[in-house]
Amino acid sequence: MTLLPHDGRPIAAAILESDAETVELAPEAIRDATARTFAPIIRGFLVPVLIFYVLIGIPHVVLRAPADAALLFSLSASTAVATFLLRRSLRLNDASFLRLELVGSAVLMMIYVNTCAVLYVDFHPANLIYLLLLMMLASTVGISMRVVAGVSGITLATMLVLAFIHGRETFFYYSFVGLAGAFSAIGLAILMRGAILKAVRSRLLAESLRERAERQADFDALSGLPNRRSYFANLEQMMAAPGASVHVGIIDLDGFKPVNDLYGHAVGDDLLVEVAARIRNACPPAYLVARLGGDEFALAIDRTLSPDTLTHLGAAICEALRRPFTISGISIAISGSIGFAHFPSNGTTAREIYERADHALYCAKRATRGDVMIFTDRHEAEMNDYGLIEQTLRNADLMKELYLDFQPQFDILTERTSGFEALARWASPTLGTVNPGLFIAAAERTGMIERITGILLQKAIAAALTWPPKVSLSFNLSPMDLVSPRSIANVTRIVRESGIAPERLTFEITETMVMSDFECARESLVALADMGCRIALDDFGSGYSSFAYIHRFPLHRLKTDRCFVTQLADESASGFGILLAIAELCANLGLECLAEGVETEEEMRSVRQAGVRFVQGYLYGRPMNAAAAAAHAAAQHDRTALSATG
């Protein structure tokens, strides 16, 4: 299974060209959006018209002479029936611009005919005011200016003719009144439609930018391969097929980090592009090849392969990666290791298969780098040994052993540290320093995450209270926290009792947190936002992140992944285009945008040019302990105060 643009061009080229395109709104799209906006207005207008002409028939019958009553009642009844039928036939979802023009014109002309009939039966100069009111109705209900101008013109002409018949004085009086009414109606129509058109264009522009960014976000900005989000979406689709048999391969480069350290990220990025091309060429076209991030690639094969065939494929990829690369005149030698797992033999979900393929990869690296490893029952037993982490966690003195590091977040506009992200750490006397991903996952499996979240949040807030008041704290919530009302209640209690200003707190989430129970997660976020806390969506534009959640959660900030920053030095690159589109989307929606992984001055300049205000990365500080974070914040506060007084 491969993902290619419809025209068959290489993916990277297609993305680069789409970045260069200017967003243009087609006239047809504007007309359709205007129709969707006006449909409820016109449909709602038909209700009072229907009620009026149902009720007005009664005084016509009671107060008029028989001949006049018959004429006026028949017109009122016909108008009521026609209005009822028009409203039933007018659906909000499929009402076209032309249809709304016809409906609006028909109803206004029926009102015009009824008004003329009343004037015919019982003419008084004062009744000409009905025609003036009809102009005002046209200015409100007419979807286009030709409807407004047409109805207003007919109405004005009728008023002037009737006034002229009545006499010179009446004609001059209603000439001024009629012209004033016509100009008022047309002016009101122009102002109202101008405002509606502006709102329609803004909404269409935001949707266009979102759709363009979504299309680009399915592919890795650097290599042109499908990215993590696209890979897992396709993997789940493969696994959902009846009788599915899917092999998942995880590829990781050996010796890539020294290349970055020695030659810089530009050479490292060019190397990744070449690696992607070699992996793609080593695989049959039907196999899905993706870049998950960094130097990690993945395969998905939706057919059954024998262990020998799978090993042969992996060996061919490894052999291709062992051949020397020439990047910018530099000869570079690396290798790659591959781990394979099979659905459904090794697991029933995409996450389980990925974890087992990743464990096989770890075993391949541990045994002989540049080798192939297929997940077996022996590896399954080995994974069970990780239960030791869970057992140790259960018996740990969490209040003593858990601690936090803090990484600065920098505000480009004010040129100061705006806040710190709190990063969970565990120093176990038995196991030593444990990888956060491992012990957090263990805490979620054992149900201890609520307690750990509470302890870490209390420590994070205690540290933040030593910072200057304008320095904020970002705290990551676990998926289990987000879908647990009890855990969220504990979080809100800690915030209230701490005395910290809620607006200084930003809770960071990812899309994976809400997949299991969307409504419960949304209620939790609303509860935090109602307190005054802020919500940030992490890893936006890559991984599992989805643009659909922007409008469904009370968000205040979007955080982009490092994968976009790697290409920011070149303004023509897709990473810059995607980041620019995300920054524009944030500006249109009133959200803050933070770029993660900024490590060089060149990346910083490009991020600034893309319009991103907040950054986080090694350029402005590595994770530091609480004392260092307090000293960092205090020192900057002193510099800011000194510059203000100086």
Side-chain angles (χ1 to χ4, degrees):
M1 183 175 185
T2 56
L3 296 177
L4 291 173
H6 295 299
D7 57 7
R9 295 169 296 156
I11 294 173
I15 294 177
L16 289 174
E17 290 183 17
S18 68
D19 285 337
E21 294 174 355
T22 301
V23 176
E24 296 182 359
L25 301 178
E28 295 78 10
I30 296 176
R31 284 170 63 88
D32 291 343
T34 303
R36 290 194 298 271
T37 303
F38 259 95
I41 297 175
I42 295 177
R43 199 167 186 269
F45 169 72
L46 296 179
V47 174
V49 172
L50 171 62
I51 295 174
F52 176 80
Y53 281 104
V54 168
L55 298 178
I56 199 65
I58 298 174
H60 283 331
V61 172
V62 174
L63 302 177
R64 304 287 184 182
D68 295 340
L71 172 64
L72 296 178
F73 182 81
S74 62
L75 284 175
S76 298
S78 299
T79 301
V81 172
T83 302
F84 175 76
L85 295 176
L86 286 174
R87 190 176 190 278
R88 287 196 63 184
S89 67
L90 191 62
R91 298 178 180 177
L92 297 181
N93 294 332
D94 60 358
S96 66
F97 191 93
L98 179 59
R99 185 172 186 178
L100 290 172
E101 273 192 320
L102 293 175
V103 170
S105 300
V107 174
L108 290 170
M109 291 311 298
M110 285 189 291
I111 297 175
Y112 169 78
V113 171
N114 278 269
T115 303
C116 290
V118 170
L119 292 171
Y120 171 76
V121 169
D122 186 18
F123 179 79
H124 292 291
N127 289 345
L128 292 175
I129 199 69
Y130 295 151
L131 296 172
L132 185 63
L133 295 176
L134 181 56
M135 295 183 195
M136 296 298 105
L137 288 178
S139 70
T140 304
V141 179
I143 188 174
S144 65
M145 288 306 301
R146 60 185 174 188
V147 173
V148 177
V151 174
S152 297
I154 294 172
T155 305
L156 178 62
T158 303
M159 176 187 291
L160 295 179
V161 169
L162 294 177
F164 180 80
I165 294 173
H166 192 268
R168 182 186 182 115
E169 183 177 349
T170 302
F171 174 75
F172 280 113
Y173 175 78
Y174 278 99
S175 294
F176 288 109
V177 173
L179 289 173
F183 279 112
S184 298
I186 293 175
L188 178 61
I190 292 174
L191 291 175
M192 188 175 79
R193 278 147 195 79
I196 291 176
L197 182 60
K198 183 177 181 181
V200 165
R201 292 178 68 90
S202 297
R203 186 176 74 245
L204 288 177
L205 180 60
E207 290 175 354
S208 179
L209 288 172
R210 174 181 58 80
E211 291 171 358
R212 188 177 87 174
E214 281 183 332
R215 289 194 299 271
Q216 293 178 333
D218 282 333
F219 300 98
D220 173 52
L222 180 63
S223 65
L225 295 175
N227 65 4
R228 177 181 291 268
R229 166 187 172 167
S230 178
Y231 175 80
F232 279 100
N234 281 276
L235 177 60
E236 290 176 353
Q237 184 179 357
M238 293 178 186
M239 293 169 55
S245 175
V246 184
H247 295 278
V248 169
I250 307 299
I251 306 169
D252 191 75
L253 302 184
D254 305 313
F256 176 74
K257 187 177 184 302
V259 174
N260 265 345
D261 295 339
L262 186 59
Y263 302 111
H265 287 291
V267 172
D269 290 345
D270 290 341
L271 176 60
L272 289 174
V273 173
E274 292 295 325
V275 167
R278 291 193 185 185
I279 296 175
R280 176 72 273 176
N281 292 334
C283 296
Y287 294 0
L288 175 62
V289 180
R291 181 184 175 221
L292 302 185
D295 60 346
E296 184 181 25
F297 296 81
L299 305 177
I301 307 167
D302 58 344
R303 64 191 64 184
T304 300
L305 300 179
S306 68
D308 288 343
T309 303
L310 204 60
T311 301
H312 180 74
L313 171 65
I317 295 174
C318 292
E319 178 60 29
L321 296 178
R322 272 193 292 266
R323 295 197 304 268
F325 293 83
T326 301
I327 308 295
S328 300
I330 305 169
S331 180
I332 299 174
I334 61 171
S335 62
S337 302
I338 307 178
F340 284 105
H342 178 254
F343 170 85
S345 302
N346 303 133
T348 58
T349 66
R351 179 176 179 178
E352 288 178 354
I353 301 300
Y354 172 81
E355 287 178 347
R356 281 151 179 77
D358 191 57
H359 183 76
L361 169 65
Y362 170 76
C363 293
K365 282 180 169 290
R366 183 178 58 184
T368 305
R369 289 180 178 268
D371 203 356
V372 182
M373 188 70 67
I374 299 176
F375 190 87
T376 63
D377 292 341
R378 176 177 62 84
H379 296 121
E380 185 71 39
E382 189 177 75
M383 285 188 69
N384 293 333
D385 291 340
Y386 288 116
L388 176 63
I389 294 178
E390 296 183 8
Q391 189 62 36
T392 305
L393 191 63
R394 291 179 187 275
N395 298 321
D397 184 351
L398 296 179
M399 186 62 71
K400 179 181 179 181
E401 298 173 19
L402 290 175
Y403 67 98
L404 292 158
D405 281 342
F406 299 88
Q407 185 171 25
Q409 296 174 332
F410 189 76
D411 186 339
I412 298 176
L413 183 62
T414 61
E415 296 186 344
R416 67 177 183 84
T417 297
S418 60
F420 292 87
E421 179 181 0
L423 305 172
R425 301 289 186 261
W426 178 30
S428 168
T430 304
L431 304 177
T433 301
V434 184
N435 184 291
L438 294 178
F439 81 77
I440 292 297
E444 290 172 347
R445 287 193 299 267
T446 58
M448 298 178 63
I449 190 64
E450 178 181 336
R451 184 182 172 205
I452 288 178
T453 296
I455 292 173
L456 291 174
L457 181 58
Q458 287 176 324
K459 292 190 174 187
I461 292 177
L465 289 173
T466 67
W467 306 337
K470 293 185 178 180
V471 178
S472 64
L473 168 67
S474 291
F475 188 87
N476 292 278
L477 288 177
S478 159
M480 302 301 293
D481 291 323
L482 204 59
V483 297
S484 169
R486 186 179 67 179
S487 182
I488 289 299
N490 188 47
V491 168
T492 56
R493 178 189 61 78
I494 291 172
V495 173
R496 289 194 182 97
E497 293 179 356
S498 69
I500 193 172
E503 59 271 15
R504 292 183 62 191
L505 282 174
T506 299
F507 289 99
E508 296 190 10
I509 63 167
T510 61
E511 180 186 337
T512 54
M513 295 184 179
V514 300
M515 288 183 174
S516 60
D517 192 339
F518 171 82
E519 287 302 327
C520 185
R522 185 179 180 279
E523 290 176 4
S524 298
L525 294 177
V526 169
L528 294 173
D530 287 346
M531 288 181 61
C533 300
R534 294 155 50 82
I535 309 298
L537 182 61
D538 202 0
D539 298 332
F540 182 74
S542 65
Y544 283 102
S545 298
S546 169
F547 289 76
Y549 293 97
I550 299 179
H551 299 289
R552 303 169 77 178
F553 292 136
L555 298 177
H556 302 86
R557 170 179 285 183
L558 302 182
K559 295 183 68 176
T560 67
D561 193 75
R562 163 70 184 170
C563 64
F564 296 124
V565 175
T566 57
Q567 284 293 292
L568 288 181
D570 182 2
E571 292 183 16
S572 66
S574 296
F576 182 87
I578 296 174
L579 191 60
L580 179 62
I582 294 175
E584 291 175 351
L585 184 64
C586 287
N588 287 333
L589 298 177
L591 302 177
E592 293 178 355
C593 185
L594 185 147
E596 290 191 282
V598 177
E599 297 183 357
T600 67
E601 291 289 348
E602 188 176 9
E603 290 172 349
M604 181 59 189
R605 286 192 296 270
S606 297
V607 167
R608 185 194 301 270
Q609 190 168 358
V612 176
R613 177 174 175 178
F614 299 92
V615 295
Q616 183 175 342
Y618 287 176
L619 179 64
Y620 290 100
R622 294 175 177 268
M624 59 189 74
N625 61 34
H632 178 93
Q636 182 164 265
H637 176 71
D638 293 341
R639 287 195 299 270
T640 302
L642 183 61
S643 61
T645 56

